[in-house]
Amino acid sequence: MEKSFVLIVSLFVTAIGFTQRFTAKKNIPLDSIRLSDPYILADEASQTYYMTGTGGRLWKSKDLKYWEGAFKVTDTDPDSWMGPRPMIWAAELHQYKGNYYDFATFTNRAVKIDTVDGNVIERRASHVLVSNTPEGPYKPMEDEIYLPADRPTLDGTFWVDKDGKPYMIYCGEWLEKGNGTMEKIELKPDLSGSIGAGELLFKASDSPWSREKDKNGNDKNSKVTDGPFLFKTETGKLGMIWTSWIYDEYVQGVAYSKSGTLDGPWIQEEEPITPRNFGHGMLFTSFEGKTLMAVHSHEVVNGNYHRVPHLFEVDLSGDKLKVVAPYKP
């Protein structure tokens, strides 16, 4: 299990490089786009949907069905810790107080921060870029780093908690300690940096539904935390969708905060909420008022990851998120 997972991660890196070589085209059907970790911003001002994800490129659409892209929208500093050509994973676009923010994971493959159980850990961390338009360019702000330089972190997302303060919620990678984490860190009011240290929300092993085999073939909880996204139901309940594995299948589950704040405690649902091999989801409201979930499908084709964005209609009217059906624009 360990060796095969590392192999798949390296294949994922190859797929990322492919994504970054896309050139802009028009009238691309959603199901023709190869994209991991899709994130869709429904921008009311322009009545345009903007989609990004792993690779950091941008697609735009008026109807969710046909897209134009992919555009390069990030402008990072080649002299920073990211290096001249960082890999970009799981980019997200958030509008906040008049600006647009790009939350993404950047990896500098030239810098190795540790080796754990034979796995070389590269310099990888969640970071935030800013622009005054949804189409960028997105550029670094005040702080060079948001999270510790000696830890691999990924999949940062955004939430303003009940205390009115902005936070980044992110994953501590399983490669570091063998049990991935979900954590939060407070951000400065303008999101230009972080305040204090990260705090643990829950661990991968807390999930009752995620499973894997140990080196002796015995069942155990999965070690992977991936793709957090925060939401509230119409009754005010705070939830988080996030993704892990059931053996070799990529699946998304959900947890709910008992306190209604990021501090939890976080109660994991017993069963996943998506079909097998769909995950890394986020929620948005369409211009027609539908609550939709964007995820990617996951399969391995000829030794490479094949990931395509998909939409599901969801129901948030009760205390818990319900996936209604696949949504076809």
Side-chain angles (χ1 to χ4, degrees):
M1 178 66 180
E2 296 286 339
K3 290 182 180 178
S4 63
F5 190 88
V6 172
L7 173 61
I8 288 176
V9 169
S10 69
L11 292 172
F12 183 30
V13 169
T14 302
I16 291 167
F18 175 79
T19 301
Q20 291 180 317
R21 291 195 296 271
F22 279 176
T23 55
K25 297 180 180 179
K26 295 183 177 181
N27 298 318
I28 312 169
L30 181 63
D31 59 7
S32 296
I33 297 174
R34 290 277 301 276
L35 179 66
S36 300
D37 316 325
Y39 190 99
I40 296 175
L41 170 70
D43 184 56
E44 290 285 349
S46 62
Q47 288 291 290
T48 301
Y49 298 103
Y50 293 98
M51 180 171 67
T52 188
T54 285
R57 300 278 174 148
L58 184 74
W59 286 258
K60 57 185 180 180
S61 172
K62 291 293 187 180
D63 59 7
L64 293 174
K65 185 175 183 179
Y66 294 107
W67 295 80
E68 180 182 358
F71 303 98
K72 183 180 184 299
V73 293
T74 55
D75 186 9
T76 57
D77 180 359
D79 296 322
S80 72
W81 65 267
M82 298 179 190
R85 295 189 64 185
M87 293 193 307
I88 304 176
W89 291 1
E92 301 185 358
L93 301 182
H94 295 269
Q95 187 178 14
Y96 183 65
K97 292 187 175 180
N99 284 321
Y100 295 84
Y101 295 89
D102 188 333
F103 282 63
T105 302
F106 298 87
T107 300
N108 184 344
R109 303 203 70 196
V111 178
K112 318 299 181 185
I113 60 176
D114 203 354
T115 300
V116 179
D117 294 332
N119 295 312
V120 175
I121 301 176
E122 298 164 337
R123 177 68 172 99
R124 176 180 303 123
S126 297
H127 202 82
V128 185
L129 310 180
V130 66
S131 174
N132 58 8
T133 74
E135 298 189 22
Y138 290 88
K139 298 184 178 184
M141 290 183 282
E142 179 181 319
D143 284 12
E144 183 176 346
I145 62 172
Y146 284 68
L147 298 167
D150 60 349
R151 290 191 59 207
T153 54
L154 68 157
D155 291 357
T157 192
F158 180 59
W159 187 253
V160 178
D161 211 7
K162 279 187 175 180
D163 57 10
K165 296 176 181 179
Y167 291 87
M168 180 194 294
I169 296 84
Y170 60 94
C171 299
E173 193 164 35
W174 65 270
L175 287 170
E176 180 190 19
K177 296 179 179 178
N179 191 4
T181 57
M182 203 67 75
E183 304 176 23
K184 71 165 186 175
I185 193 166
E186 185 181 344
L187 299 177
K188 293 179 179 180
D190 64 355
L191 314 190
S192 64
S194 58
I195 299 172
E199 298 179 29
L200 177 69
L201 303 183
F202 60 83
K203 297 179 180 180
S205 59
D206 293 340
S207 165
W209 53 265
S210 62
R211 310 297 300 166
E212 65 178 43
K213 298 288 186 181
D214 65 18
K215 62 182 180 181
N216 297 316
N218 299 314
D219 243 24
K220 68 172 187 175
N221 296 90
S222 178
K223 56 182 170 291
V224 177
T225 48
D226 185 79
F229 181 84
L230 283 295
F231 67 92
K232 276 193 174 180
T233 67
E234 292 180 17
T235 62
K237 195 167 187 177
L238 177 62
M240 181 195 302
I241 51 177
W242 66 285
T243 302
S244 192
W245 296 82
I246 299 178
Y247 308 116
D248 60 347
E249 295 178 318
Y250 192 67
V251 184
Q252 182 173 263
V254 62
Y256 294 96
S257 169
K258 191 172 182 179
S259 68
T261 72
L262 289 175
D263 291 328
W266 288 90
I267 310 302
Q268 306 289 334
E269 291 289 277
E270 291 292 327
E271 299 293 335
I273 60 169
T274 54
R276 300 294 174 94
N277 286 320
F278 287 87
H280 202 114
M282 58 80 58
L283 306 178
F284 68 100
T285 302
S286 74
F287 298 132
E288 290 72 39
K290 290 184 178 293
T291 303
L292 302 178
M293 179 170 64
V295 297
H296 67 246
S297 58
H298 168 87
E299 61 179 328
V300 179
V301 179
N302 297 324
N304 292 307
Y305 270 0
H306 183 85
R307 288 179 159 181
V308 176
H310 292 263
L311 299 176
F312 286 84
E313 187 173 350
V314 302
D315 179 4
L316 294 177
S317 62
D319 271 346
K320 294 185 177 182
L321 180 155
K322 294 180 180 179
V323 177
V324 178
Y327 178 77
K328 297 296 183 183

